[in-house]
Amino acid sequence: MGRAPCCDKNNVKKGPWSPEEDAKLKEFIEKHGTGGNWIALPQKAGLRRCGKSCRLRWLNYLRPNIKHGEFTEHEDRVICNMYASIGSRWSIIASQLPGRTDNDIKNYWNTKLKKKLLGSTVTPPPHRAPRQHHRPLNVMLQHTSPSLPQATYNSFFSGAGAFHDPISGIPALTLPPRHDYMLNSGLAIPNAASLLHGHGALQQQFHHHVVKEESGNMIVFGSDHQSCSSSDGTHSQPQFGHGKELSFDGYFGYNNGSSIEHDHRLLQLQDHHQAQVPVEYNYEEIKQLLMSSTTTGNHGHGQDGSMEEGFGSQGKVTMM
DNA sequence: AAATATACCAACCGCTATACT
DNA sequence: TAGTATAGCGGTTGGTATATT
């Protein structure tokens, strides 16, 4: 018994969309919205299309502010950097490039950018964890002032494979599939700081203890002791924003399956980047990283789903 | 000019996460 | 809590355009 089809396959049109269909879909959505139900939409809109097909057509082609055509040098850089950091998580990469769709970026990477970087060498993605480890991280920012609105950012940073215990080689951070992390609970991800650039200086307080577990190799970011500093010299609270630097000291540990093992070596993370991508690589570095990923076979995930080494934050994380 | 290869990209497919009942 | 429906994601496919032989 397979899964029930989402629509009557015999009664839906497939293949390229006609201008008439485009117009119908566009007009309907502009008038009524999606109604939160793509499956029912085609019938309401008078289209003989599968709901999924409508959704894709809208998201990739019809919705306002979609950018088509040549990618800019800046976009190339963002794609390359993020690919080097997080692999083929196209929707997350797309979220950093307004107007671009995941499909667009995926096609662009596969047909042009990869070749531009690597010539004729064909490489698999640098690393790719099981999908549940790659869900976007919801970073909840809690302002110290209750009068300010709360903000939730969808971080592109998954963490899987990004940090490692250099001794055991165990991935130092993976993300559970469906939990919100409170930034004020000691989340110490440099990329989170990158994300916050451009959102103004936000005061954060680190005073909770993060214990997140998941079967297998799970990090625990602790906060028995933390110190945060910013480039303007303040040390009491970390500040995020343009020109700010974030450093974070914390402890970590592992979930070894049945219990949490705390590891009290100090984990020090630093982020001095102001760009909106997590780590700035130049093309040559990205090329090297991609090349090494194919020659060493160190990237990707193993049979058990555990992550092997990723590009993450090379040179940015030190253990003491 | 015809055949073949390659590049490009829109769309589809199947899977997982999430929401809903 | 379990079962089901839907949304969203990423890999893959197939049609078309262009380049090469």
Side-chain angles (χ1 to χ4, degrees), chain A residues 272-302:
Chain A
H272 293 171
H273 296 285
Q274 293 181 38
Q276 294 197 347
V277 292
V279 179
E280 283 291 318
Y281 300 103
N282 62 36
Y283 281 136
E284 200 46 46
E285 287 170 326
I286 292 163
K287 186 177 172 178
Q288 297 276 322
L289 287 167
L290 292 176
M291 296 292 274
S292 68
S293 78
T294 56
T295 54
T296 65
N298 272 351
H299 303 295
H301 54 85

Side-chain angles (χ1 to χ4, degrees), chain A residues 204-279:
Chain A
Q204 310 298 325
Q205 283 188 316
F206 289 71
H207 54 73
H208 291 154
H209 201 88
V210 168
V211 177
K212 270 316 200 189
E213 63 178 355
E214 192 179 32
S215 59
N217 305 319
M218 186 53 206
I219 184 72
V220 177
F221 270 108
S223 57
D224 299 324
H225 156 75
Q226 290 167 356
S227 68
C228 299
S229 62
S230 59
S231 57
D232 60 7
T234 60
H235 285 265
S236 56
Q237 292 177 328
Q239 280 195 317
F240 303 109
H242 278 295
K244 301 296 180 190
E245 294 178 353
L246 166 71
S247 66
F248 171 92
D249 295 341
Y251 296 105
F252 67 101
Y254 305 117
N255 172 14
N256 64 14
S258 56
S259 63
I260 303 293
E261 281 178 21
H262 283 271
D263 185 331
H264 284 272
R265 279 169 297 176
L266 190 62
L267 174 65
Q268 188 178 68
L269 305 173
Q270 291 192 315
D271 180 68
H272 293 171
H273 296 285
Q274 293 181 38
Q276 294 197 347
V277 292
V279 179

Side-chain angles (χ1 to χ4, degrees), chain A residues 173-195:
Chain A
L173 174 64
T174 60
L175 296 176
R178 42 188 302 186
H179 288 91
D180 287 337
Y181 277 72
M182 304 294 287
L183 192 63
N184 72 349
S185 297
L187 180 69
I189 300 174
N191 307 69
S194 293
L195 248 196

Side-chain angles (χ1 to χ4, degrees), chain A residues 304-316:
Chain A
D304 61 353
S306 63
M307 287 301 297
E308 294 165 23
E309 181 157 9
F311 299 138
S313 298
Q314 286 181 348
K316 309 294 179 197

Side-chain angles (χ1 to χ4, degrees), chain A residues 121-193:
Chain A
T121 310
V122 178
T123 66
H127 59 268
R128 194 163 162 69
R131 278 184 60 182
Q132 68 268 25
H133 291 165
H134 275 284
R135 283 276 147 194
L137 167 66
N138 290 323
V139 179
M140 181 73 78
L141 302 179
Q142 272 202 337
H143 298 285
T144 51
S145 163
S147 63
L148 290 170
Q150 300 300 312
T152 301
Y153 292 88
N154 228 4
S155 169
F156 51 74
F157 181 73
S158 73
F163 300 121
H164 275 70
D165 180 343
I167 298 163
S168 67
I170 295 172
L173 174 64
T174 60
L175 296 176
R178 42 188 302 186
H179 288 91
D180 287 337
Y181 277 72
M182 304 294 287
L183 192 63
N184 72 349
S185 297
L187 180 69
I189 300 174
N191 307 69

